[in-house]
Amino acid sequence: MFTTKYEDILEQIDQVDPVSYGNTRNFIDGNVSKLSPYISRGVITTKQVMKRTLDRGFDPDDIKKWLQELAWRDYWQLIWVEKGNEINSDLRRMQPDVDNHQMPKVIVEANTGIRAIDDAIQEFYETGYLHNHVRMYIAAICCSIGGSHWKVPAQWMYYHLKDGDWASNALSWQWVAGSNSNKTYVANQNNINKYCYTDQKDTFLDVPYEAFDSMKIPDILRDLTSPNLKTPLPESDELNINSDKPTLIYNFYNMDPTWREGEDANRILLIEPSVFQKYPVSEDSIKFMLDLGENIPNLQTYVGEFDYLKNEFSLNEEDIYYKEHPLNNYSGNEHPRDWMFSVKGYYQSFFKFWNKAKKELTRPKDLFDGA
Ligand SMILES: Cc1cc2nc3c(=O)[nH]c(=O)nc-3n(C[C@H](O)[C@H](O)[C@H](O)COP(=O)(O)OP(=O)(O)OC[C@H]3O[C@@H](n4cnc5c(N)ncnc54)[C@H](O)[C@@H]3O)c2cc1C
């Protein structure tokens, strides 16, 4: 379902209909791009996607929703950069009404009785993709209705997602759960029926919105579980490193085939067990990353910590290059990565960030010079 060939990925960017996107994106069959696995793995950037779309001649005002959604990604990432590990706990306030630090078993087993959700979770296990609205419904069922703290179910979702991006993930879960927003998000059966084209009644969500305020945790969500999430790490290659050449470090968040393209360098896909122990991902997710690595000539896989790599192959720091990312605890030359806008730092609300950032859209020429 998800190609891993770079040319096909570029073609997929060009296939996006950024105008109809705005009106349809909330529907389960809406015109969404499915580009997130490539943005998350650092194969393409939000800036590249924005530029390629604007180059097709659209007026930014006509594709505002599309540009805003791309900007959400940068917004969450910038919070990760700014706040670091703080995003791993309740960011702005304690999640209200926490009942447990596990998650409802019926979510993991795709057995909530809500057809649209159960079908989407089944498909999720097969494809590694979930529609944004369904992600919100699932998070609402776990946290806002089921009283689970956001962290365990967020890790379960991140584990299976091909587009796992801990910033978008943790911070969206916290947004739904109310620890990174002023109120919790809920959706009732009518809402699910509308956006998923079902006509189900008599489920635990078949209530008017006012009923959520006094709703007890439904029995069906009371059976809890903590999924056992372990990353099946691949084997290292027999590395062939020439210490006279620069060494470029790729990883789960940087699989960019155009980075220093054509340069004679050692190219190492670094898989650090410590990172995957803290942020576990599924076998499919690891395979997806390895398949994307086929776009990078002579990429060699090293499974081990950065310092071991450096010491084992006597690498000099001045010859090591990597792209900036909050998970990279490396030494060497850090390269900046591309952002859509020059606006940086922590903004408590997306719209404060966007209102500043969007001004740059009126001068796209300067913005994209040299991009
Ligand atoms: C509970 C929850 C967990 C999430 N976890 C992740 C995650 O681990 N990784 C991830 O990439 N996204 C995550 N998202 C955000 C969003 O659901 C996905 O980025 C989007 O569904 C990806 O599908 P698409 O590429 O077809 O998106 P499109 O709708 O086509 O959007 C285009 C691009 O804009 C960005 N984007 C769109 N919506 C959002 C959003 N709500 N937040 C941030 N960026 C957005 C993405 O980069 C996306 O690829 C999560 C959202 C929720 C509610």
Side-chain angles (χ1 to χ4, degrees):
M1 180 197 180
F2 285 98
T3 181
T4 50
K5 288 209 183 80
Y6 190 62
E7 305 79 67
D8 295 348
I9 297 166
L10 295 182
E11 176 62 26
Q12 197 171 318
I13 304 176
D14 295 337
Q15 292 306 317
V16 172
D17 177 349
V19 177
S20 72
Y21 176 82
N23 294 330
T24 64
R25 67 178 285 273
N26 280 332
F27 290 88
I28 192 90
D29 65 347
N31 269 335
V32 295
S33 68
K34 300 203 169 160
L35 287 172
S36 55
Y38 311 116
I39 299 174
S40 292
R41 296 291 65 79
V43 179
I44 54 175
T45 66
T46 45
K47 180 169 184 170
Q48 184 182 4
V49 175
M50 170 169 78
K51 179 178 180 335
R52 236 174 139 103
T53 329
L54 287 171
D55 281 352
R56 281 158 63 196
F58 295 108
D59 181 325
D61 274 345
D62 295 338
I63 59 168
K64 190 167 113 190
K65 196 74 201 156
W66 170 245
L67 297 174
Q68 274 180 349
E69 292 306 322
L70 286 170
W72 269 101
R73 159 84 66 155
D74 277 17
Y75 171 68
W76 294 136
Q77 275 285 325
L78 282 166
I79 296 183
W80 197 8
V81 169
E82 199 66 27
K83 300 278 179 186
N85 280 336
E86 284 176 49
I87 73 164
N88 294 343
S89 347
D90 295 10
L91 189 65
R92 277 171 53 188
R93 58 172 189 149
M94 298 281 276
Q95 178 181 332
D97 304 322
V98 173
D99 169 85
N100 63 78
H101 285 258
Q102 294 184 278
M103 66 183 291
K105 212 169 175 178
V106 288
I107 289 285
V108 176
E109 293 177 350
N111 196 19
T112 63
I114 298 172
R115 269 202 315 278
I117 304 290
D118 294 343
D119 290 353
I121 296 173
Q122 289 283 9
E123 203 180 308
F124 175 43
Y125 288 136
E126 283 155 32
T127 62
Y129 181 84
L130 268 176
H131 187 278
N132 178 64
H133 220 158
V134 178
R135 297 183 202 209
M136 291 170 69
Y137 296 147
I138 292 174
I141 292 172
C142 292
C143 305
S144 316
I145 315 280
S148 296
H149 184 261
W150 63 270
K151 183 85 179 280
V152 166
Q155 287 192 302
W156 161 81
M157 192 182 271
Y158 178 84
Y159 184 82
H160 295 285
L161 280 171
K162 282 213 171 65
D163 67 22
D165 171 342
W166 186 242
S168 286
N169 195 280
L171 293 167
S172 299
W173 274 86
Q174 294 209 48
W175 183 87
V176 170
S179 57
N180 184 31
S181 55
N182 298 325
K183 57 179 171 52
T184 53
Y185 166 84
V186 282
N188 69 7
Q189 185 67 50
N190 271 348
N191 183 295
I192 296 175
N193 284 344
K194 173 175 171 193
Y195 290 104
C196 302
Y197 308 106
T198 47
D199 59 357
Q200 240 187 319
K201 289 198 168 34
D202 302 327
T203 67
F204 63 91
L205 290 182
D206 191 13
V207 293
Y209 276 95
E210 311 79 78
F212 284 122
D213 293 338
S214 55
M215 193 177 197
K216 296 220 165 56
I217 297 175
D219 285 347
I220 189 165
L221 303 181
R222 284 235 159 252
D223 199 2
L224 301 171
T225 184
S226 296
N228 183 16
L229 307 175
K230 292 228 159 58
T231 312
L233 294 173
E235 297 278 305
S236 282
D237 291 331
E238 291 275 325
L239 290 204
N240 180 2
I241 292 191
N242 179 340
S243 53
D244 293 336
K245 296 182 190 173
T247 296
L248 310 189
I249 308 290
Y250 297 78
N251 58 33
F252 193 61
Y253 283 93
N254 173 21
M255 298 298 292
D256 177 1
T258 66
W259 184 43
R260 302 182 68 138
E261 201 178 3
E263 192 174 318
D264 193 11
N266 305 302
R267 294 175 193 270
I268 309 296
L269 171 56
L270 178 64
I271 300 181
E272 290 185 294
S274 60
V275 169
F276 290 94
Q277 194 172 12
K278 196 164 170 194
Y279 304 97
V281 303
S282 67
E283 188 172 359
D284 281 352
S285 189
I286 290 284
K287 181 172 183 316
F288 184 63
M289 167 182 67
L290 295 175
D291 289 349
L292 289 167
E294 301 283 316
N295 295 304
I296 301 165
N298 305 319
L299 185 69
Q300 306 179 71
T301 300
Y302 182 83
V303 182
E305 303 302 319
F306 174 80
D307 284 341
Y308 286 53
L309 171 75
K310 199 171 127 222
N311 296 337
E312 199 177 328
F313 295 93
S314 308
L315 302 177
N316 291 322
E317 280 181 11
E318 57 270 25
D319 296 327
I320 299 175
Y321 296 84
Y322 58 94
K323 277 203 203 186
E324 182 279 320
H325 189 274
L327 285 182
N328 296 350
N329 203 2
Y330 309 154
S331 50
N333 303 284
E334 184 178 82
H335 276 193
R337 60 177 145 144
D338 273 348
W339 300 93
M340 291 168 71
F341 304 104
S342 67
V343 181
K344 301 281 158 18
Y346 175 67
Y347 288 80
Q348 207 179 62
S349 101
F350 170 77
F351 285 98
K352 285 198 180 121
F353 166 74
W354 172 254
N355 285 337
K356 202 157 175 202
K358 73 177 183 194
K359 295 190 182 124
E360 296 182 5
L361 287 170
T362 58
R363 50 176 187 84
K365 183 154 179 324
D366 320 347
L367 179 63
F368 297 130
D369 267 358

